[in-house]
Amino acid sequence: TTMMMMIRFSLPKLATLLLLLLGSSSWLLSTARAQETTPEEEVQGALSGALTNLKTKYDGLDNKGKAVVGTAVGFVATRIVLKSALSAIKVGVIAVILAEVLDRTGILDVEETAEKLQEMGVVQKLKQFSGQAVSGFKAQVHRRLNPSNWQEIMDKEKVATLGMAGGVVLACLF
């Protein structure tokens, strides 16, 4: 709980620092007037102001600048996704190896453990929970990543889209 309190108290400071770096002083003035906001509202306001500032700067770029931004975004996003996927694969492989070693040495009896979990209803609860979590995640992805919106953006920003594709290729190669 102490860590959570530190995170809560540091989020507004982090948002303020981000806004100062991006040069958005209008949000700071509105926050100073409205002292009764929660830290979550302050962060949301900070991000909104920062994104608006970034959008205006992006709109002012020429085609080469937009291609470079697209390349950087594609490269960084692909690196994050690849690192996350590889980490998940590593954790899965380690779990399988540990389970095999524990089973072969007799420390863990897999069949007996599976029967006990089945009797307690843990397996059914896990299936139900994971099904609900996956359905919720799928709905959120469909809502936020609406393909028609992305097609419109890609048609409008063809140079940035081409740059993003190049960034993806670079991230996969290096």
Side-chain angles (χ1 to χ4, degrees):
T1 57
T2 306
M3 182 62 124
M4 290 302 294
M5 288 175 51
M6 286 174 39
I7 291 172
R8 281 190 181 155
F9 288 120
S10 64
L11 282 177
K13 292 177 185 174
L14 179 64
T16 304
L17 179 63
L18 177 66
L19 284 173
L20 288 173
L21 290 173
L22 294 174
S24 176
S25 60
S26 61
W27 179 79
L28 290 174
L29 293 174
S30 66
T31 304
R33 284 186 228 125
Q35 290 293 326
E36 297 183 15
T37 59
T38 64
E40 291 83 10
E41 291 171 340
E42 289 180 18
V43 170
Q44 187 176 10
L47 289 176
S48 174
L51 291 176
T52 303
N53 190 14
L54 287 174
K55 174 94 172 94
T56 56
K57 288 183 180 183
Y58 174 79
D59 288 339
L61 293 174
D62 62 345
N63 282 341
K64 287 182 183 178
K66 289 181 179 183
V68 169
V69 169
T71 303
V73 168
F75 183 84
V76 170
T78 302
R79 293 296 293 209
I80 290 170
V81 169
L82 288 176
K83 278 191 169 236
S84 300
L86 287 175
S87 295
I89 291 170
K90 287 177 185 178
V91 167
V93 168
I94 289 170
V96 168
I97 291 171
L98 283 176
E100 279 297 316
V101 168
L102 291 175
D103 185 44
R104 299 281 180 186
T105 58
I107 296 173
L108 176 67
D109 187 8
V110 175
E111 292 176 14
E112 182 181 325
T113 305
E115 288 175 12
K116 286 182 181 178
L117 290 175
Q118 192 74 21
E119 289 172 8
M120 293 174 21
V122 172
V123 174
Q124 292 299 328
K125 289 178 184 176
L126 282 173
K127 283 182 182 179
Q128 183 180 12
F129 174 76
S130 62
Q132 290 172 350
V134 167
S135 295
F137 180 73
K138 183 179 173 185
Q140 187 176 18
V141 166
H142 281 289
R143 186 175 58 246
R144 293 185 188 265
L145 300 178
N146 188 350
S148 63
N149 293 345
W150 283 100
Q151 186 63 44
E152 182 181 315
I153 291 170
M154 286 191 295
D155 289 342
K156 181 180 167 189
E157 298 290 342
K158 290 182 180 183
V159 175
T161 304
L162 182 62
M164 187 177 292
V168 169
V169 169
L170 288 174
C172 290
L173 292 176
F174 299 108

